[in-house]
Amino acid sequence: MFPSKPHFYTHGFTLIEIIVTIVVLAIASTSLLSVFTSTVRTSADHMIQQQAISIAEAYMEEIMLKSFSDPRKDDVPPVNETGGSEAGETRFNFNDVQDYNDLLDTKVRDQNNNEISSLEDYTVVVTVAEKALNGIDKKNSLFIDITVTHSAISPIAISGYRTNY
């Protein structure tokens, strides 16, 4: 027979190497999963924020395309002291910028006052006020402020001026 020699295994992993590998993988996967989770949690917020900006811009464009002052001034009662729509006017027939003052749409609407059902979670508030602008007196300058809110994001606000020139 052959003399017996100590037998050393040179292939495979020791128990300590396996435990260290498992610990390192656990730490790495925990870090990656926490980053992944926070990314997934906030990924929809960017889309909601971009949609809110688009809504605000659409309202601003609609308002800016209207006349500075009421073109039918002689046919209707005078504008109330705070500005705003004249008696009987609805968004469908708003004809000047001040008609939009204090507009509150709890559901987004198009320029014909039709509700847009896919945007029902947004709220739009519009204020229009006389405000002087770089040498233009306040009677010929209107400051328009539009705020769009959604429960998942901070309010989005855009502002602009409409002048009588």
Side-chain angles (χ1 to χ4, degrees):
M1 291 204 101
F2 300 103
S4 105
K5 291 185 180 179
H7 224 247
F8 295 101
Y9 293 107
T10 58
H11 60 283
F13 296 102
T14 66
L15 182 59
I16 293 176
E17 290 172 329
I18 293 172
I19 291 174
V20 168
T21 302
I22 290 172
V23 168
V24 168
L25 287 174
I27 292 170
S29 64
T30 302
S31 300
L32 286 173
L33 285 175
S34 67
V35 169
F36 180 72
T37 302
S38 68
T39 302
V40 168
R41 188 177 328 120
T42 61
S43 65
D45 291 355
H46 297 293
M47 184 201 59
I48 293 170
Q49 185 174 14
Q50 188 59 46
Q51 185 66 55
I53 291 169
S54 296
I55 292 167
E57 288 173 344
Y59 272 69
M60 182 65 80
E61 181 178 4
E62 176 186 339
I63 294 168
M64 291 295 218
L65 290 173
K66 299 296 181 183
S67 297
F68 180 83
S69 58
D70 194 343
R72 301 175 302 147
K73 206 174 212 175
D74 298 330
D75 300 341
V76 295
V79 176
N80 61 38
E81 291 298 316
T82 60
S85 60
E86 291 82 22
E89 277 190 326
T90 63
R91 184 154 172 223
F92 175 73
N93 55 10
F94 281 176
N95 57 5
D96 64 277
V97 175
Q98 286 193 0
D99 288 345
Y100 289 88
N101 189 32
D102 294 330
L103 177 69
L104 170 63
D105 282 348
T106 54
K107 295 183 177 166
V108 175
R109 298 176 179 277
D110 65 14
Q111 67 274 15
N112 295 320
N113 207 28
N114 298 318
E115 187 178 301
I116 302 172
S117 61
S118 59
L119 302 175
E120 63 190 16
D121 295 332
Y122 296 89
T123 300
V124 180
V125 177
V126 178
T127 57
V128 178
E130 292 180 343
K131 188 174 181 183
L133 171 68
N134 296 335
I136 302 172
D137 67 1
K138 70 179 190 173
K139 291 290 183 192
N140 288 308
S141 178
L142 296 173
F143 180 73
I144 304 161
D145 188 50
I146 300 171
T147 304
V148 179
T149 57
H150 187 283
S151 60
I153 60 169
S154 298
I156 300 294
I158 65 171
S159 302
Y161 281 90
R162 177 72 158 80
T163 60
N164 193 20
Y165 292 103

